[in-house]
């Protein structure tokens, strides 16, 4: 399956793994890359030594292309960028900030930059500074989200830029992958499905929460802070949403109160398996997931369903 993204990144299939904090480690990312997709290491707030260990582990586990995600609000971002430029990594994705100050150095190092965007304006800005592609993420995604849906946002970005678009958010199976291609995307990014992969080191409690989730199981927290997050409902979201409601009614909301409620919650979910007070970041497609699979099987299932969906529609049109 060749697209502009497979040609650009030298990967076999147009499927990119989401850079999920505490989940997207070398074990998961290398399994995705070895299965023909693009594995992505998540770095979050990691210091440079932690990032180095992840990258070295990745090089030891695969000789296939992979990416490293850089969160630009990371307090260690300068040291992390310096290391990545010297490391031999050839693909960097970014989020939570503007990577323009690093572009010249990325280009000199032969690094392809692929920022995550949530608006047409940001996609156009990233093209202007030299991004090779963009990940266009709709609000159906798990974790930090924007305001527009994937179905509405992807075609608008495709029309606005000349670089390849990777659709993210709500891509729960091969049918959604086919839909993304029909909207003009050259690849899809998948997050929640890979959380429950056999190779994922996410706690089994977290995996089972996703597998058991129904279609209306996710909620969005953090609207008042300007950094909304989609997660599965639990005791934490009940507490947070109540506090958020109370703070919204105030002239000066106490954001520190909200920060304290959410502090360390993602680690509690992913590492400790606390499904009550942990932040269970997952997309709206969680209701589609019913089992654990290997990364290879997940990717092959996407491809088969995508091809079948497109062929079925072609057959219908040609009748």
């Amino acid at each position: 399956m060749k697209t502009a993204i497979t040609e650009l990144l030298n990967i076999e299939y147009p499927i990119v793994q989401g850079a999920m904090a505490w989940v997207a480690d070398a074990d998961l990312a290398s399994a995705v890359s070895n299965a023909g997709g693009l594995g992505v290491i998540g770095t979050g707030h990691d210091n440079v030594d932690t990032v180095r260990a992840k990258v070295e582990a990745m090089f030891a586990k695969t000789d296939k292309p992979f990416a490293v995600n850089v969160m630009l609000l990371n307090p260690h971002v300068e040291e992390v960028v310096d290391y990545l430029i010297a490391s031999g990594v050839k693909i960097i994705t970014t989020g939570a900030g503007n990577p323009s100050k690093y572009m010249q150095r990325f280009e000199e190092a032969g690094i392809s930059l692929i920022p995550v965007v949530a608006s047409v304006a940001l996609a156009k800005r990233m093209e202007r500074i030299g991004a090779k592609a963009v990940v266009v993420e709709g609000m159906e995604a798990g974790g930090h989200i924007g305001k527009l849906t994937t179905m509405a946002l992807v075609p608008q970005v495709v029309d606005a830029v000349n670089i390849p678009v990777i659709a993210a958010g709500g891509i729960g199976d091969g049918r959604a992958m086919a839909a993304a291609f029909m909207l003009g995307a050259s690849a899809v990014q998948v997050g929640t499905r890979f959380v429950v992969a056999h190779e994922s080191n996410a706690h089994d409690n977290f995996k089972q929460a996703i597998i058991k989730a129904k279609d209306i199981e996710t909620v969005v927290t953090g609207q008042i802070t300007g950094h909304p997050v989609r997660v599965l409902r639990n005791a934490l979201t009940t507490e947070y949403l109540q506090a958020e409601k109370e703070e919204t009614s105030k002239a000066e909301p106490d954001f520190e109160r909200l920060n304290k409620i959410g502090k360390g919650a993602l680690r509690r979910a992913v590492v400790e398996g606390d499904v009550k007070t942990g932040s269970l970041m997952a997309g709206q497609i969680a209701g589609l997931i019913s089992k654990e699979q290997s990364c290879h099987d997940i990717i092959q299932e996407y491809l088969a369903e995508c091809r079948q969906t497109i062929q079925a529609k072609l057959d219908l049109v040609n009748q």
Side-chain angles (χ1 to χ4, degrees):
M1 189 178 284
K2 291 185 178 181
T3 71
I5 286 294
T6 63
E7 297 296 305
L8 172 68
L9 305 180
N10 194 31
I11 57 178
E12 192 171 358
Y13 306 123
I15 297 178
V16 177
Q17 165 238 314
M20 301 160 287
W22 293 103
V23 176
D25 58 13
D27 288 340
L28 177 62
S30 64
V32 172
S33 287
N34 287 333
L38 182 72
V40 183
I41 297 173
T43 62
H45 287 91
D46 291 345
N47 61 37
V48 67
D49 291 333
T50 302
V51 174
R52 180 183 294 107
K54 289 181 177 181
V55 171
E56 290 178 353
M58 192 69 178
F59 277 125
K61 292 174 180 291
T62 185
D63 59 359
K64 305 292 186 182
F66 67 90
V68 176
N69 177 264
V70 177
M71 192 182 76
L72 296 166
L73 291 180
N74 182 353
H76 310 288
V77 66
E78 298 296 334
E79 296 93 338
V80 168
V81 168
D82 287 346
Y83 164 70
L84 290 175
I85 287 173
S87 70
V89 167
K90 292 303 179 185
I91 307 167
I92 289 177
T93 66
T94 60
N98 187 340
S100 59
K101 65 182 289 187
Y102 307 113
M103 274 307 303
Q104 183 176 345
R105 296 174 64 200
F106 287 159
E107 291 178 353
E108 290 172 352
I111 293 171
S112 295
L113 173 68
I114 306 177
V116 178
V117 302
S119 71
V120 171
L122 186 54
K124 292 170 70 173
R125 191 183 313 155
M126 294 300 98
E127 181 181 33
R128 285 197 298 270
I129 68 169
K132 302 302 183 185
V134 287
V135 176
V136 177
E137 186 173 73
M139 66 178 296
E140 300 93 325
H144 295 277
I145 58 172
K147 295 181 178 180
L148 297 177
T149 66
T150 304
M151 181 69 70
L153 183 58
V154 168
Q156 293 183 68
V157 173
V158 168
D159 288 347
V161 301
N162 295 307
I163 54 178
V165 167
I166 301 167
I171 314 297
D173 59 20
R175 295 170 296 178
M177 184 178 181
F181 287 154
M182 294 303 101
L183 296 176
S186 296
V188 296
Q189 179 172 285
V190 176
T192 308
R193 281 287 295 270
F194 284 126
V195 174
V196 302
H198 290 312
E199 297 90 346
S200 165
N201 290 316
H203 197 285
D204 189 60
N205 291 351
F206 188 9
K207 292 183 179 183
Q208 292 305 312
I210 292 174
I211 289 172
K212 295 175 182 177
K214 297 180 174 61
D215 58 335
I216 59 171
E217 205 81 9
T218 68
V219 294
V220 177
T221 63
Q223 302 268 23
I224 187 178
T225 67
H227 302 286
V229 179
R230 184 175 298 284
V231 293
L232 297 180
R233 298 175 188 271
N234 62 2
L236 174 69
T237 64
T238 299
E239 178 186 3
Y240 192 101
L241 290 172
Q242 179 59 37
E244 193 170 10
K245 181 179 179 180
E246 294 169 2
E247 296 303 325
T248 301
S249 65
K250 298 178 181 179
E252 295 185 8
D254 183 359
F255 293 116
E256 185 58 32
R257 175 190 180 190
L258 299 176
N259 289 336
K260 287 181 179 178
I261 294 173
K263 186 175 182 180
L266 181 58
R267 186 186 188 281
R268 289 199 299 272
V270 178
V271 178
E272 300 172 13
D274 183 347
V275 295
K276 293 183 179 180
T277 69
S279 180
L280 304 171
M281 292 187 182
Q284 287 183 317
I285 61 91
L288 286 171
I289 300 174
S290 60
K291 59 187 176 182
E292 289 189 53
Q293 296 171 280
S294 68
C295 290
H296 174 272
D297 287 348
I298 290 171
I299 288 174
Q300 290 303 315
E301 189 172 283
Y302 268 85
L303 296 169
E305 289 178 347
C306 179
R307 292 185 176 110
Q308 290 167 6
T309 300
I310 293 173
Q311 187 60 55
K313 299 310 175 186
L314 288 173
D315 292 343
L316 180 63
V317 169
N318 293 327
Q319 284 182 0

